[in-house]
Amino acid sequence: MQRVVPVVVLALAVVATNVAVLSADTTRVKVTLFYEHLCPDSIRWVSNQLAPNYDALRNVMDIEFIPFGKSRSINGGESFECQHGPLECEGNMAQSCILNFLPEQDRQVSYVSCQMDFNADPRGWECAFRSGVNLVNAQQCAEGPLGVQLQLEAERRTRQIPLTFVPTIVFNDQFDQSLTDRAFTDFFGVMCELTNNGAVGC
C-alpha cells in the first residue's frame, strides 16, 4: 500500500494539471448577431443554432444582439424602412429597447430565443413580459427618442460590416465571411474551434 499511494497522488496531480491547462487555454469569444425581427432566416438561426446550444456555450461566450439588418433610417431617424415592412421596424425598435433594459446575458438570450420564434407575438411584448423587463420603461423607450437612438446606433454598427445576408454572425469584432458562413449551419462547431474546445460537449 505504501508504494501505491505515491502513484495515486501523482495521477491526481497530473489530472489537476491537465484541468488547469485546459482552463488556461479556453478562450472566451465575443459573438455579435446582426439580425431582423421578422426575418425567417434570423428566426431559424436563433431557434436552431443559438437556443439549443446556449447552455453549453454560455460560459465561453459574450453575445451581443443588433436587431437592424437591411433596414435604413430616414431623415436621421424620423422613420425607418425595413426589409419585412413596418411591423418589423416596430419589432426591431422594441427588441433594441427590451435588450437595453435586460443587462444580464442569460435574460437577453432567453428573451431573444422566445421572440425569434415563428409562433411568437410579432409585436414582441408577450416575450418581453416573460423576460421580466419593466414593460412601462420598455414601451416608453419604443415610442420615444431613446428607441430611435438605439436603432440609429444599431444602424451605425451594422454599417461597419459588409452585411449582404441576414443574419450575419461576427466573432471578436472581426468580420470573417468564412466563419459567418460556417456558423450559419454549425455555430457550435465554430465556437468549439474558437474556444480551443472549451465549451461543454466539444
Side-chain angles (χ1 to χ4, degrees):
M1 288 297 292
Q2 291 179 349
R3 293 182 179 179
V4 174
V5 172
V7 175
V8 173
V9 172
L10 178 61
L12 290 174
V14 170
V15 170
T17 300
N18 288 339
V19 170
V21 170
L22 177 62
S23 300
D25 289 344
T26 298
T27 302
R28 195 168 183 91
V29 174
K30 180 180 178 183
V31 178
T32 306
L33 175 63
F34 296 86
Y35 68 113
E36 295 167 342
H37 180 72
L38 295 179
C39 168
D41 286 321
S42 295
I43 293 171
R44 290 188 192 97
W45 190 84
V46 171
S47 297
N48 298 332
Q49 298 294 323
L50 176 62
N53 291 310
Y54 179 67
D55 283 346
L57 298 173
R58 61 192 297 273
N59 292 324
V60 295
M61 173 176 70
D62 297 312
I63 188 163
E64 179 181 27
F65 297 100
I66 311 290
F68 196 82
K70 294 183 178 180
S71 307
R72 72 183 186 97
S73 63
I74 299 173
N75 295 330
E78 282 186 10
S79 62
F80 293 87
E81 287 185 353
C82 299
Q83 185 172 200
H84 301 94
L87 188 58
E88 179 165 83
C89 291
E90 292 180 26
N92 285 342
M93 189 172 295
Q95 288 208 37
S96 283
C97 286
I98 292 161
L99 289 165
N100 184 62
F101 290 110
L102 290 175
E104 300 92 351
Q105 174 170 289
D106 287 353
R107 293 177 69 192
Q108 287 194 353
V109 173
S110 178
Y111 163 69
V112 171
S113 297
C114 174
Q115 185 58 57
M116 299 304 288
D117 185 288
F118 287 110
N119 296 316
D121 166 24
R123 296 193 178 276
W125 296 108
E126 182 179 337
C127 289
F129 173 77
R130 293 182 186 179
S131 75
V133 74
N134 185 311
L135 290 178
V136 174
N137 290 344
Q139 197 152 16
Q140 287 177 345
C141 170
E143 295 172 355
L146 178 56
V148 173
Q149 291 173 14
L150 291 171
Q151 276 291 278
L152 289 175
E153 174 61 14
E155 180 176 39
R156 185 190 71 80
R157 292 288 307 282
T158 302
R159 297 292 177 261
Q160 291 178 337
I161 65 167
L163 183 142
T164 58
F165 183 80
V166 181
T168 290
I169 307 98
V170 173
F171 298 92
N172 294 325
D173 295 321
Q174 299 293 320
F175 177 82
D176 184 312
Q177 189 65 60
S178 175
L179 284 179
T180 291
D181 292 344
R182 288 169 53 203
F184 185 66
T185 56
D186 186 20
F187 178 57
F188 186 77
V190 171
M191 286 296 294
C192 284
E193 177 183 314
L194 295 178
T195 61
N196 298 316
N197 294 322
V200 176
C202 287

